[in-house]
PDB file of all heavy atoms in Angstrom:
ATOM      1  N   GLU B  72     -48.401  25.912 -40.035  1.00  0.00           N
ATOM      2  CA  GLU B  72     -47.128  25.340 -40.479  1.00  0.00           C
ATOM      3  C   GLU B  72     -46.228  26.453 -41.039  1.00  0.00           C
ATOM      4  O   GLU B  72     -46.664  27.296 -41.801  1.00  0.00           O
ATOM      5  CB  GLU B  72     -47.420  24.324 -41.594  1.00  0.00           C
ATOM      6  CG  GLU B  72     -46.221  23.596 -42.124  1.00  0.00           C
ATOM      7  CD  GLU B  72     -46.621  22.578 -43.193  1.00  0.00           C
ATOM      8  OE1 GLU B  72     -47.595  21.852 -42.962  1.00  0.00           O
ATOM      9  OE2 GLU B  72     -45.975  22.537 -44.245  1.00  0.00           O
ATOM     10  N   GLY B  73     -44.983  26.442 -40.558  1.00  0.00           N
ATOM     11  CA  GLY B  73     -44.015  27.408 -41.057  1.00  0.00           C
ATOM     12  C   GLY B  73     -44.046  28.764 -40.373  1.00  0.00           C
ATOM     13  O   GLY B  73     -43.252  29.642 -40.695  1.00  0.00           O
ATOM     14  N   THR B  74     -44.965  28.971 -39.424  1.00  0.00           N
ATOM     15  CA  THR B  74     -45.058  30.258 -38.715  1.00  0.00           C
ATOM     16  C   THR B  74     -44.867  30.066 -37.226  1.00  0.00           C
ATOM     17  O   THR B  74     -45.356  29.083 -36.654  1.00  0.00           O
ATOM     18  CB  THR B  74     -46.407  30.959 -38.902  1.00  0.00           C
ATOM     19  OG1 THR B  74     -47.428  30.236 -38.197  1.00  0.00           O
ATOM     20  CG2 THR B  74     -46.791  30.996 -40.385  1.00  0.00           C
ATOM     21  N   THR B  75     -44.161  30.978 -36.580  1.00  0.00           N
ATOM     22  CA  THR B  75     -43.991  30.965 -35.126  1.00  0.00           C
ATOM     23  C   THR B  75     -44.043  32.398 -34.617  1.00  0.00           C
ATOM     24  O   THR B  75     -43.812  33.347 -35.399  1.00  0.00           O
ATOM     25  CB  THR B  75     -42.676  30.305 -34.686  1.00  0.00           C
ATOM     26  OG1 THR B  75     -41.581  31.080 -35.167  1.00  0.00           O
ATOM     27  CG2 THR B  75     -42.582  28.860 -35.165  1.00  0.00           C
ATOM     28  N   ALA B  76     -44.334  32.548 -33.322  1.00  0.00           N
ATOM     29  CA  ALA B  76     -44.375  33.895 -32.729  1.00  0.00           C
ATOM     30  C   ALA B  76     -43.989  33.756 -31.252  1.00  0.00           C
ATOM     31  O   ALA B  76     -44.119  32.686 -30.647  1.00  0.00           O
ATOM     32  CB  ALA B  76     -45.761  34.491 -32.863  1.00  0.00           C
ATOM     33  N   LYS B  77     -43.529  34.890 -30.696  1.00  0.00           N
ATOM     34  CA  LYS B  77     -43.095  34.899 -29.292  1.00  0.00           C
ATOM     35  C   LYS B  77     -44.282  35.038 -28.365  1.00  0.00           C
ATOM     36  O   LYS B  77     -45.238  35.755 -28.662  1.00  0.00           O
ATOM     37  CB  LYS B  77     -42.145  36.077 -29.070  1.00  0.00           C
ATOM     38  CG  LYS B  77     -40.812  35.916 -29.785  1.00  0.00           C
ATOM     39  CD  LYS B  77     -39.928  37.120 -29.510  1.00  0.00           C
ATOM     40  CE  LYS B  77     -38.599  36.985 -30.266  1.00  0.00           C
ATOM     41  NZ  LYS B  77     -37.723  38.141 -30.019  1.00  0.00           N
ATOM     42  N   GLY B  78     -44.168  34.382 -27.231  1.00  0.00           N
ATOM     43  CA  GLY B  78     -45.167  34.512 -26.173  1.00  0.00           C
ATOM     44  C   GLY B  78     -44.672  35.450 -25.091  1.00  0.00           C
ATOM     45  O   GLY B  78     -43.923  36.376 -25.347  1.00  0.00           O
ATOM     46  N   GLU B  79     -45.037  35.122 -23.880  1.00  0.00           N
ATOM     47  CA  GLU B  79     -44.711  35.960 -22.731  1.00  0.00           C
ATOM     48  C   GLU B  79     -43.258  35.833 -22.258  1.00  0.00           C
ATOM     49  O   GLU B  79     -42.648  36.807 -21.839  1.00  0.00           O
ATOM     50  CB  GLU B  79     -45.644  35.562 -21.588  1.00  0.00           C
ATOM     51  CG  GLU B  79     -45.526  36.362 -20.331  1.00  0.00           C
ATOM     52  CD  GLU B  79     -46.400  35.773 -19.203  1.00  0.00           C
ATOM     53  OE1 GLU B  79     -47.131  34.794 -19.449  1.00  0.00           O
ATOM     54  OE2 GLU B  79     -46.313  36.265 -18.080  1.00  0.00           O
ATOM     55  N   VAL B  80     -42.650  34.631 -22.349  1.00  0.00           N
ATOM     56  CA  VAL B  80     -41.315  34.391 -21.832  1.00  0.00           C
ATOM     57  C   VAL B  80     -40.460  33.647 -22.867  1.00  0.00           C
ATOM     58  O   VAL B  80     -40.032  32.522 -22.660  1.00  0.00           O
ATOM     59  CB  VAL B  80     -41.361  33.595 -20.503  1.00  0.00           C
ATOM     60  CG1 VAL B  80     -41.867  34.460 -19.378  1.00  0.00           C
ATOM     61  CG2 VAL B  80     -42.222  32.337 -20.634  1.00  0.00           C
ATOM     62  N   PRO B  81     -40.132  34.285 -24.012  1.00  0.00           N
ATOM     63  CA  PRO B  81     -39.447  33.576 -25.082  1.00  0.00           C
ATOM     64  C   PRO B  81     -37.917  33.487 -24.974  1.00  0.00           C
ATOM     65  O   PRO B  81     -37.288  32.694 -25.679  1.00  0.00           O
ATOM     66  CB  PRO B  81     -39.804  34.446 -26.331  1.00  0.00           C
ATOM     67  CG  PRO B  81     -39.932  35.830 -25.751  1.00  0.00           C
ATOM     68  CD  PRO B  81     -40.500  35.663 -24.368  1.00  0.00           C
ATOM     69  N   ASP B  82     -37.327  34.325 -24.079  1.00  0.00           N
ATOM     70  CA  ASP B  82     -35.864  34.388 -24.064  1.00  0.00           C
ATOM     71  C   ASP B  82     -35.220  33.070 -23.685  1.00  0.00           C
ATOM     72  O   ASP B  82     -35.605  32.436 -22.705  1.00  0.00           O
ATOM     73  CB  ASP B  82     -35.428  35.492 -23.096  1.00  0.00           C
ATOM     74  CG  ASP B  82     -35.826  36.880 -23.575  1.00  0.00           C
ATOM     75  OD1 ASP B  82     -36.125  37.007 -24.798  1.00  0.00           O
ATOM     76  OD2 ASP B  82     -35.838  37.796 -22.757  1.00  0.00           O
ATOM     77  N   GLY B  83     -34.209  32.666 -24.460  1.00  0.00           N
ATOM     78  CA  GLY B  83     -33.481  31.418 -24.185  1.00  0.00           C
ATOM     79  C   GLY B  83     -34.081  30.216 -24.914  1.00  0.00           C
ATOM     80  O   GLY B  83     -33.542  29.111 -24.773  1.00  0.00           O
TER      81      GLY B  83
END
Side-chain angles (χ1 to χ4, degrees):
Chain B
E72 183 179 315
T74 72
T75 63
K77 292 180 181 180
E79 183 187 356
V80 288
D82 294 342

